[in-house]
Amino acid sequence: MKKMLVIGFAAASVIALSACSAGADTAAPAGSDEFTPITVGVIPIADTAPLYLGLEQGFFEDEGLDLTIETATGGAAIVPAVVSGDYQFGFSNLGSLMVANDKGLPLKLVNSAVASTGDVTSDMGAIVVSGDSAIETLADLNGKTVSTNSLNNLLDTVARSTIDSAGGDSSTVSFVEIPFPDASAAVENSQVDAAFVVEPFVTAAVENGNRVLAYSFSEFEADLDIAAYFSSAATVESDPELVDKFQAAMKKSLQYAQANPDAVRAIIATYTKTPPEVLAKIVLPKFPTEFNVDAVTALGQAALKYGVVETAPDMSSFLP
Protein backbone atom coordinates (compact mmCIF):
# COMPACT_ATOMS: atom_id res chain seq x y z
CA MET A 1 0.00 0.00 0.00
CA LYS A 2 3.03 2.30 0.06
CA LYS A 3 3.07 4.49 -3.02
CA MET A 4 4.95 7.58 -4.11
CA LEU A 5 4.35 9.36 -7.42
CA VAL A 6 7.01 11.98 -8.00
CA ILE A 7 6.87 14.59 -10.76
CA GLY A 8 10.41 15.79 -11.49
CA PHE A 9 11.47 19.36 -12.27
CA ALA A 10 14.59 21.23 -13.38
CA ALA A 11 17.62 20.69 -11.15
CA ALA A 12 20.79 22.56 -10.32
CA SER A 13 24.18 21.15 -11.25
CA VAL A 14 24.57 19.52 -7.85
CA ILE A 15 21.06 18.26 -7.19
CA ALA A 16 18.47 16.78 -9.55
CA LEU A 17 15.18 15.51 -8.26
CA SER A 18 13.97 12.10 -9.43
CA ALA A 19 11.13 9.64 -9.11
CA CYS A 20 11.07 6.96 -6.46
CA SER A 21 8.79 4.32 -5.13
CA ALA A 22 8.74 2.16 -2.04
CA GLY A 23 7.41 -1.03 -0.65
CA ALA A 24 4.74 -3.54 -1.45
CA ASP A 25 1.22 -4.12 -0.24
CA THR A 26 0.76 -5.07 3.39
CA ALA A 27 -2.18 -6.39 5.33
CA ALA A 28 -4.80 -3.92 6.47
CA PRO A 29 -4.82 -2.96 10.17
CA ALA A 30 -6.87 -5.07 12.53
CA GLY A 31 -10.51 -4.03 12.51
CA SER A 32 -10.23 -2.37 9.09
CA ASP A 33 -11.98 -3.76 6.01
CA GLU A 34 -9.80 -1.89 3.56
CA PHE A 35 -7.36 0.95 3.17
CA THR A 36 -8.64 4.42 2.30
CA PRO A 37 -6.59 5.93 -0.53
CA ILE A 38 -5.28 9.45 0.02
CA THR A 39 -2.99 11.63 -2.06
CA VAL A 40 -0.77 14.24 -0.43
CA GLY A 41 0.95 16.93 -2.47
CA VAL A 42 4.38 18.06 -1.24
CA ILE A 43 7.57 19.83 -2.24
CA PRO A 44 10.51 17.36 -2.37
CA ILE A 45 12.74 19.14 0.14
CA ALA A 46 14.13 18.29 3.58
CA ASP A 47 11.03 19.79 5.21
CA THR A 48 8.79 16.99 3.97
CA ALA A 49 10.95 14.10 5.19
CA PRO A 50 8.49 13.17 8.00
CA LEU A 51 5.78 12.31 5.48
CA TYR A 52 8.12 9.99 3.60
CA LEU A 53 9.27 8.49 6.90
CA GLY A 54 5.67 7.95 7.96
CA LEU A 55 5.08 6.08 4.72
CA GLU A 56 8.21 3.98 5.22
CA GLN A 57 7.47 3.24 8.88
CA GLY A 58 3.87 2.24 8.19
CA PHE A 59 2.27 4.97 10.31
CA PHE A 60 -0.31 5.70 7.62
CA GLU A 61 -1.09 2.02 7.10
CA ASP A 62 -1.59 1.75 10.86
CA GLU A 63 -4.39 4.28 10.44
CA GLY A 64 -5.86 2.42 7.45
CA LEU A 65 -4.59 4.92 4.89
CA ASP A 66 -3.14 4.04 1.48
CA LEU A 67 -0.82 7.00 0.94
CA THR A 68 0.36 8.30 -2.42
CA ILE A 69 2.83 11.21 -2.44
CA GLU A 70 2.93 13.61 -5.37
CA THR A 71 5.40 16.48 -5.74
CA ALA A 72 5.29 20.01 -7.12
CA THR A 73 7.64 22.99 -7.20
CA GLY A 74 5.73 25.01 -4.60
CA GLY A 75 2.68 25.42 -2.43
CA ALA A 76 1.04 27.67 -5.01
CA ALA A 77 0.66 24.62 -7.27
CA ILE A 78 -0.51 22.32 -4.47
CA VAL A 79 -3.27 24.57 -3.12
CA PRO A 80 -5.54 24.38 -6.20
CA ALA A 81 -5.09 20.60 -6.38
CA VAL A 82 -6.40 20.30 -2.82
CA VAL A 83 -9.25 22.72 -3.46
CA SER A 84 -10.29 20.72 -6.54
CA GLY A 85 -10.14 17.44 -4.64
CA ASP A 86 -7.29 15.96 -6.70
CA TYR A 87 -5.31 15.76 -3.45
CA GLN A 88 -6.92 15.07 -0.08
CA PHE A 89 -4.09 16.84 1.74
CA GLY A 90 -1.22 19.11 0.85
CA PHE A 91 1.95 20.67 2.19
CA SER A 92 2.48 24.38 1.74
CA ASN A 93 4.41 27.21 3.27
CA LEU A 94 2.41 29.43 5.58
CA GLY A 95 2.73 32.37 3.19
CA SER A 96 0.77 30.56 0.49
CA LEU A 97 -1.78 29.44 3.05
CA MET A 98 -2.21 32.99 4.37
CA VAL A 99 -2.76 34.22 0.83
CA ALA A 100 -5.30 31.46 0.22
CA ASN A 101 -7.06 32.32 3.48
CA ASP A 102 -7.10 36.01 2.54
CA LYS A 103 -8.71 35.18 -0.80
CA GLY A 104 -11.37 33.10 0.88
CA LEU A 105 -10.24 29.78 -0.55
CA PRO A 106 -11.88 26.88 1.33
CA LEU A 107 -8.79 25.47 3.03
CA LYS A 108 -8.17 24.25 6.58
CA LEU A 109 -4.82 23.68 8.25
CA VAL A 110 -4.71 20.25 9.89
CA ASN A 111 -1.09 19.67 11.02
CA SER A 112 2.09 21.52 11.76
CA ALA A 113 4.93 20.45 9.49
CA VAL A 114 8.30 22.11 9.94
CA ALA A 115 9.94 24.99 11.77
CA SER A 116 13.24 26.83 11.66
CA THR A 117 15.96 25.92 14.13
CA GLY A 118 15.84 29.39 15.69
CA ASP A 119 19.65 29.55 15.37
CA VAL A 120 20.85 32.68 13.54
CA THR A 121 24.20 30.97 12.86
CA SER A 122 22.87 27.71 11.43
CA ASP A 123 19.41 27.13 10.01
CA MET A 124 17.57 25.21 7.32
CA GLY A 125 16.83 28.30 5.22
CA ALA A 126 19.22 31.03 4.15
CA ILE A 127 19.86 33.88 1.78
CA VAL A 128 23.00 33.03 -0.19
CA VAL A 129 25.30 35.09 -2.41
CA SER A 130 28.27 34.17 -4.57
CA GLY A 131 31.53 33.58 -2.74
CA ASP A 132 33.16 36.67 -4.25
CA SER A 133 30.12 38.94 -3.90
CA ALA A 134 30.63 42.44 -2.47
CA ILE A 135 27.35 42.00 -0.58
CA GLU A 136 28.21 41.60 3.10
CA THR A 137 25.00 42.43 4.96
CA LEU A 138 21.27 42.30 4.31
CA ALA A 139 21.28 46.08 3.98
CA ASP A 140 23.65 45.69 1.01
CA LEU A 141 20.78 44.10 -0.91
CA ASN A 142 19.32 47.54 -1.60
CA GLY A 143 18.78 47.81 -5.34
CA LYS A 144 19.71 44.16 -5.89
CA THR A 145 17.81 41.14 -7.24
CA VAL A 146 16.89 38.22 -4.96
CA SER A 147 15.26 34.95 -5.99
CA THR A 148 12.67 32.96 -4.06
CA ASN A 149 10.75 29.86 -5.14
CA SER A 150 7.51 31.85 -5.43
CA LEU A 151 6.56 35.52 -5.22
CA ASN A 152 4.39 37.38 -2.71
CA ASN A 153 4.82 34.54 -0.30
CA LEU A 154 6.65 33.32 2.79
CA LEU A 155 10.25 33.75 1.67
CA ASP A 156 10.04 37.23 0.18
CA THR A 157 7.95 38.38 3.15
CA VAL A 158 10.61 37.16 5.58
CA ALA A 159 13.39 38.54 3.37
CA ARG A 160 11.78 41.99 3.21
CA SER A 161 11.29 42.07 6.96
CA THR A 162 14.86 41.05 7.78
CA ILE A 163 16.33 43.43 5.18
CA ASP A 164 14.41 46.33 6.70
CA SER A 165 15.33 45.27 10.24
CA ALA A 166 18.98 45.29 9.19
CA GLY A 167 18.72 48.91 8.05
CA GLY A 168 18.09 48.23 4.39
CA ASP A 169 15.17 49.29 2.21
CA SER A 170 13.38 46.24 0.87
CA SER A 171 11.23 48.38 -1.41
CA THR A 172 14.31 48.79 -3.62
CA VAL A 173 14.91 45.04 -3.88
CA SER A 174 13.64 43.15 -6.92
CA PHE A 175 12.34 39.65 -6.15
CA VAL A 176 12.19 37.06 -8.93
CA GLU A 177 10.83 33.52 -8.99
CA ILE A 178 13.34 30.70 -9.48
CA PRO A 179 12.80 27.10 -8.29
CA PHE A 180 15.06 26.03 -5.43
CA PRO A 181 17.10 23.53 -7.50
CA ASP A 182 18.04 26.26 -9.99
CA ALA A 183 18.74 29.08 -7.54
CA SER A 184 22.40 28.31 -6.80
CA ALA A 185 23.26 28.31 -10.49
CA ALA A 186 21.37 31.59 -10.91
CA VAL A 187 23.60 33.16 -8.26
CA GLU A 188 26.77 31.71 -9.77
CA ASN A 189 25.79 32.95 -13.24
CA SER A 190 24.94 36.45 -11.92
CA GLN A 191 21.34 36.02 -13.01
CA VAL A 192 20.46 37.20 -9.50
CA ASP A 193 22.52 38.82 -6.76
CA ALA A 194 21.21 36.54 -4.01
CA ALA A 195 18.85 33.61 -3.49
CA PHE A 196 16.69 32.56 -0.55
CA VAL A 197 16.79 28.75 -0.46
CA VAL A 198 16.08 25.91 1.97
CA GLU A 199 17.87 22.63 2.62
CA PRO A 200 19.26 20.62 0.94
CA PHE A 201 19.87 23.56 -1.39
CA VAL A 202 21.54 25.75 1.27
CA THR A 203 24.34 23.25 1.79
CA ALA A 204 24.53 22.48 -1.94
CA ALA A 205 24.96 26.20 -2.65
CA VAL A 206 27.77 26.47 -0.11
CA GLU A 207 29.40 23.35 -1.54
CA ASN A 208 29.29 25.11 -4.93
CA GLY A 209 31.25 28.05 -3.52
CA ASN A 210 28.39 30.33 -2.55
CA ARG A 211 28.23 32.04 0.84
CA VAL A 212 25.45 32.41 3.41
CA LEU A 213 24.50 36.04 3.86
CA ALA A 214 21.84 35.49 6.54
CA TYR A 215 19.69 32.78 8.06
CA SER A 216 16.60 34.91 7.63
CA PHE A 217 13.98 32.56 9.08
CA SER A 218 15.77 32.61 12.44
CA GLU A 219 16.56 36.32 12.08
CA PHE A 220 12.85 36.98 11.61
CA GLU A 221 11.48 35.00 14.58
CA ALA A 222 12.82 32.20 16.76
CA ASP A 223 11.24 28.82 16.02
CA LEU A 224 9.22 30.13 13.09
CA ASP A 225 6.74 27.67 11.62
CA ILE A 226 7.59 27.45 7.93
CA ALA A 227 4.80 25.29 6.56
CA ALA A 228 1.76 23.19 7.37
CA TYR A 229 -0.30 20.30 6.08
CA PHE A 230 -3.78 21.28 5.03
CA SER A 231 -6.98 19.99 3.48
CA SER A 232 -10.05 21.43 1.84
CA ALA A 233 -12.88 22.69 4.01
CA ALA A 234 -15.13 20.21 2.23
CA THR A 235 -12.97 17.25 3.27
CA VAL A 236 -12.68 18.48 6.85
CA GLU A 237 -16.44 18.90 7.11
CA SER A 238 -17.55 15.81 5.21
CA ASP A 239 -14.96 13.29 6.39
CA PRO A 240 -13.66 14.21 9.86
CA GLU A 241 -12.66 10.58 10.47
CA LEU A 242 -10.28 10.70 7.51
CA VAL A 243 -8.79 13.93 8.82
CA ASP A 244 -8.37 12.43 12.29
CA LYS A 245 -6.53 9.45 10.82
CA PHE A 246 -4.23 11.68 8.79
CA GLN A 247 -3.51 13.87 11.81
CA ALA A 248 -2.69 10.83 13.94
CA ALA A 249 -0.34 9.38 11.32
CA MET A 250 1.27 12.76 10.69
CA LYS A 251 1.86 13.37 14.40
CA LYS A 252 3.65 10.04 14.71
CA SER A 253 5.67 10.86 11.59
CA LEU A 254 6.76 14.25 12.94
CA GLN A 255 7.71 12.79 16.31
CA TYR A 256 9.69 10.02 14.65
CA ALA A 257 11.53 12.50 12.41
CA GLN A 258 12.41 14.77 15.32
CA ALA A 259 13.80 11.83 17.30
CA ASN A 260 15.69 10.21 14.40
CA PRO A 261 17.81 12.71 12.45
CA ASP A 262 19.83 9.96 10.78
CA ALA A 263 16.61 8.48 9.42
CA VAL A 264 15.64 11.92 8.10
CA ARG A 265 18.91 12.23 6.20
CA ALA A 266 18.55 8.71 4.83
CA ILE A 267 14.98 9.23 3.60
CA ILE A 268 15.88 12.52 1.87
CA ALA A 269 18.25 10.51 -0.32
CA THR A 270 15.29 8.48 -1.62
CA TYR A 271 13.40 11.40 -3.13
CA THR A 272 16.24 13.77 -4.05
CA LYS A 273 19.58 12.94 -5.62
CA THR A 274 21.49 14.72 -2.89
CA PRO A 275 25.17 13.77 -2.88
CA PRO A 276 26.17 11.92 0.31
CA GLU A 277 28.70 14.59 1.26
CA VAL A 278 25.98 17.24 1.07
CA LEU A 279 23.40 15.10 2.83
CA ALA A 280 25.74 14.62 5.78
CA LYS A 281 26.12 18.37 6.22
CA ILE A 282 22.61 19.74 5.75
CA VAL A 283 21.00 21.53 8.66
CA LEU A 284 17.79 19.78 9.59
CA PRO A 285 14.74 21.81 10.60
CA LYS A 286 12.62 21.15 13.65
CA PHE A 287 9.53 18.99 13.19
CA PRO A 288 7.06 20.29 15.80
CA THR A 289 3.65 18.79 16.46
CA GLU A 290 2.23 22.14 17.61
CA PHE A 291 2.34 25.61 16.06
CA ASN A 292 4.24 28.53 17.57
CA VAL A 293 1.27 30.89 17.65
CA ASP A 294 3.32 34.01 18.44
CA ALA A 295 5.68 33.40 15.52
CA VAL A 296 2.84 32.68 13.08
CA THR A 297 1.08 35.84 14.27
CA ALA A 298 4.23 37.87 13.57
CA LEU A 299 4.41 36.35 10.10
CA GLY A 300 0.79 37.32 9.45
CA GLN A 301 1.50 40.89 10.48
CA ALA A 302 4.53 41.01 8.16
CA ALA A 303 2.44 39.63 5.29
CA LEU A 304 -0.03 42.44 5.91
CA LYS A 305 2.72 45.08 6.10
CA TYR A 306 4.23 44.06 2.77
CA GLY A 307 0.93 43.73 0.94
CA VAL A 308 0.96 39.95 0.61
CA VAL A 309 -2.47 39.83 2.26
CA GLU A 310 -5.14 42.48 2.77
CA THR A 311 -6.08 41.15 6.19
CA ALA A 312 -3.84 39.33 8.66
CA PRO A 313 -5.24 35.89 9.48
CA ASP A 314 -7.17 35.35 12.70
CA MET A 315 -5.15 32.69 14.50
CA SER A 316 -8.23 31.32 16.26
CA SER A 317 -9.64 30.16 12.94
CA PHE A 318 -6.48 29.94 10.80
CA LEU A 319 -4.64 27.41 12.96
CA PRO A 320 -6.20 24.01 13.83
mmCIF file of all heavy atoms in Angstrom, residues 138-139 158-170 219-220 305-306:
data_model
loop_
_atom_site.group_PDB
_atom_site.id
_atom_site.type_symbol
_atom_site.label_atom_id
_atom_site.label_comp_id
_atom_site.label_asym_id
_atom_site.label_seq_id
_atom_site.Cartn_x
_atom_site.Cartn_y
_atom_site.Cartn_z
ATOM 1 N N LEU A 138 22.594 42.216 4.924
ATOM 2 C CA LEU A 138 21.272 42.296 4.314
ATOM 3 C C LEU A 138 20.991 43.693 3.778
ATOM 4 O O LEU A 138 20.320 43.851 2.748
ATOM 5 C CB LEU A 138 20.206 41.892 5.333
ATOM 6 C CG LEU A 138 20.124 40.400 5.665
ATOM 7 C CD1 LEU A 138 19.205 40.176 6.863
ATOM 8 C CD2 LEU A 138 19.632 39.596 4.474
ATOM 9 N N ALA A 139 21.502 44.714 4.451
ATOM 10 C CA ALA A 139 21.285 46.084 3.984
ATOM 11 C C ALA A 139 21.938 46.326 2.628
ATOM 12 O O ALA A 139 21.494 47.198 1.864
ATOM 13 C CB ALA A 139 21.823 47.071 5.017
ATOM 14 N N VAL A 158 9.565 37.242 4.560
ATOM 15 C CA VAL A 158 10.610 37.156 5.578
ATOM 16 C C VAL A 158 11.849 37.935 5.147
ATOM 17 O O VAL A 158 12.469 38.643 5.950
ATOM 18 C CB VAL A 158 10.963 35.685 5.862
ATOM 19 C CG1 VAL A 158 12.220 35.573 6.722
ATOM 20 C CG2 VAL A 158 9.795 34.989 6.548
ATOM 21 N N ALA A 159 12.226 37.816 3.870
ATOM 22 C CA ALA A 159 13.395 38.539 3.371
ATOM 23 C C ALA A 159 13.207 40.045 3.510
ATOM 24 O O ALA A 159 14.107 40.752 3.987
ATOM 25 C CB ALA A 159 13.660 38.166 1.911
ATOM 26 N N ARG A 160 12.043 40.544 3.094
ATOM 27 C CA ARG A 160 11.784 41.989 3.209
ATOM 28 C C ARG A 160 11.891 42.451 4.659
ATOM 29 O O ARG A 160 12.511 43.480 4.966
ATOM 30 C CB ARG A 160 10.396 42.316 2.662
ATOM 31 C CG ARG A 160 10.254 42.181 1.155
ATOM 32 C CD ARG A 160 8.849 42.568 0.695
ATOM 33 N NE ARG A 160 8.603 42.203 -0.680
ATOM 34 C CZ ARG A 160 8.999 42.918 -1.736
ATOM 35 N NH1 ARG A 160 9.677 44.034 -1.537
ATOM 36 N NH2 ARG A 160 8.726 42.508 -2.965
ATOM 37 N N SER A 161 11.290 41.689 5.554
ATOM 38 C CA SER A 161 11.294 42.068 6.956
ATOM 39 C C SER A 161 12.711 42.103 7.531
ATOM 40 O O SER A 161 13.081 43.061 8.234
ATOM 41 C CB SER A 161 10.432 41.097 7.760
ATOM 42 O OG SER A 161 10.411 41.446 9.125
ATOM 43 N N THR A 162 13.506 41.088 7.223
ATOM 44 C CA THR A 162 14.857 41.052 7.782
ATOM 45 C C THR A 162 15.775 42.083 7.124
ATOM 46 O O THR A 162 16.675 42.612 7.780
ATOM 47 C CB THR A 162 15.466 39.643 7.665
ATOM 48 O OG1 THR A 162 15.403 39.183 6.305
ATOM 49 C CG2 THR A 162 14.710 38.660 8.559
ATOM 50 N N ILE A 163 15.557 42.368 5.853
ATOM 51 C CA ILE A 163 16.330 43.428 5.184
ATOM 52 C C ILE A 163 16.043 44.772 5.850
ATOM 53 O O ILE A 163 16.965 45.535 6.174
ATOM 54 C CB ILE A 163 16.003 43.481 3.685
ATOM 55 C CG1 ILE A 163 16.593 42.264 2.966
ATOM 56 C CG2 ILE A 163 16.546 44.771 3.050
ATOM 57 C CD1 ILE A 163 16.090 42.081 1.543
ATOM 58 N N ASP A 164 14.774 45.063 6.072
ATOM 59 C CA ASP A 164 14.407 46.333 6.703
ATOM 60 C C ASP A 164 14.920 46.406 8.137
ATOM 61 O O ASP A 164 15.390 47.459 8.587
ATOM 62 C CB ASP A 164 12.895 46.523 6.666
ATOM 63 C CG ASP A 164 12.365 46.786 5.260
ATOM 64 O OD1 ASP A 164 13.176 47.167 4.390
ATOM 65 O OD2 ASP A 164 11.151 46.600 5.039
ATOM 66 N N SER A 165 14.841 45.290 8.852
ATOM 67 C CA SER A 165 15.326 45.268 10.242
ATOM 68 C C SER A 165 16.835 45.487 10.307
ATOM 69 O O SER A 165 17.358 45.981 11.317
ATOM 70 C CB SER A 165 14.971 43.934 10.906
ATOM 71 O OG SER A 165 13.571 43.801 11.041
ATOM 72 N N ALA A 166 17.534 45.119 9.238
ATOM 73 C CA ALA A 166 18.983 45.286 9.189
ATOM 74 C C ALA A 166 19.398 46.676 8.717
ATOM 75 O O ALA A 166 20.599 46.946 8.563
ATOM 76 C CB ALA A 166 19.596 44.222 8.277
ATOM 77 N N GLY A 167 18.414 47.548 8.489
ATOM 78 C CA GLY A 167 18.722 48.912 8.054
ATOM 79 C C GLY A 167 18.665 49.123 6.563
ATOM 80 O O GLY A 167 18.993 50.206 6.064
ATOM 81 N N GLY A 168 18.239 48.089 5.825
ATOM 82 C CA GLY A 168 18.093 48.226 4.388
ATOM 83 C C GLY A 168 16.728 48.754 4.011
ATOM 84 O O GLY A 168 15.910 49.098 4.873
ATOM 85 N N ASP A 169 16.471 48.827 2.718
ATOM 86 C CA ASP A 169 15.170 49.289 2.208
ATOM 87 C C ASP A 169 14.672 48.246 1.220
ATOM 88 O O ASP A 169 15.043 48.253 0.050
ATOM 89 C CB ASP A 169 15.321 50.650 1.525
ATOM 90 C CG ASP A 169 14.003 51.196 1.000
ATOM 91 O OD1 ASP A 169 12.960 50.517 1.154
ATOM 92 O OD2 ASP A 169 14.001 52.303 0.423
ATOM 93 N N SER A 170 13.824 47.352 1.707
ATOM 94 C CA SER A 170 13.378 46.238 0.874
ATOM 95 C C SER A 170 12.538 46.675 -0.314
ATOM 96 O O SER A 170 12.378 45.911 -1.268
ATOM 97 C CB SER A 170 12.593 45.230 1.717
ATOM 98 O OG SER A 170 11.378 45.793 2.180
ATOM 99 N N GLU A 219 16.440 34.879 11.843
ATOM 100 C CA GLU A 219 16.562 36.315 12.079
ATOM 101 C C GLU A 219 15.185 36.945 12.274
ATOM 102 O O GLU A 219 15.012 37.872 13.069
ATOM 103 C CB GLU A 219 17.270 36.986 10.901
ATOM 104 C CG GLU A 219 18.723 36.612 10.715
ATOM 105 C CD GLU A 219 19.662 37.397 11.610
ATOM 106 O OE1 GLU A 219 19.177 38.247 12.386
ATOM 107 O OE2 GLU A 219 20.880 37.145 11.540
ATOM 108 N N PHE A 220 14.196 36.415 11.552
ATOM 109 C CA PHE A 220 12.854 36.980 11.614
ATOM 110 C C PHE A 220 12.177 36.680 12.945
ATOM 111 O O PHE A 220 11.651 37.569 13.612
ATOM 112 C CB PHE A 220 12.000 36.431 10.466
ATOM 113 C CG PHE A 220 10.559 36.877 10.511
ATOM 114 C CD1 PHE A 220 10.197 38.131 10.057
ATOM 115 C CD2 PHE A 220 9.572 36.029 11.011
ATOM 116 C CE1 PHE A 220 8.878 38.548 10.103
ATOM 117 C CE2 PHE A 220 8.246 36.442 11.063
ATOM 118 C CZ PHE A 220 7.898 37.706 10.610
ATOM 119 N N LYS A 305 1.873 43.895 6.296
ATOM 120 C CA LYS A 305 2.721 45.080 6.101
ATOM 121 C C LYS A 305 3.238 45.177 4.680
ATOM 122 O O LYS A 305 3.275 46.276 4.096
ATOM 123 C CB LYS A 305 3.891 45.028 7.085
ATOM 124 C CG LYS A 305 4.899 46.165 6.912
ATOM 125 C CD LYS A 305 6.046 46.042 7.905
ATOM 126 C CE LYS A 305 7.070 47.146 7.702
ATOM 127 N NZ LYS A 305 8.203 47.036 8.679
ATOM 128 N N TYR A 306 3.619 44.040 4.099
ATOM 129 C CA TYR A 306 4.232 44.063 2.772
ATOM 130 C C TYR A 306 3.237 43.774 1.647
ATOM 131 O O TYR A 306 3.623 43.515 0.509
ATOM 132 C CB TYR A 306 5.408 43.087 2.733
ATOM 133 C CG TYR A 306 6.535 43.531 3.653
ATOM 134 C CD1 TYR A 306 6.807 42.848 4.832
ATOM 135 C CD2 TYR A 306 7.281 44.667 3.350
ATOM 136 C CE1 TYR A 306 7.814 43.272 5.691
ATOM 137 C CE2 TYR A 306 8.287 45.105 4.202
ATOM 138 C CZ TYR A 306 8.554 44.406 5.371
ATOM 139 O OH TYR A 306 9.547 44.837 6.224
#
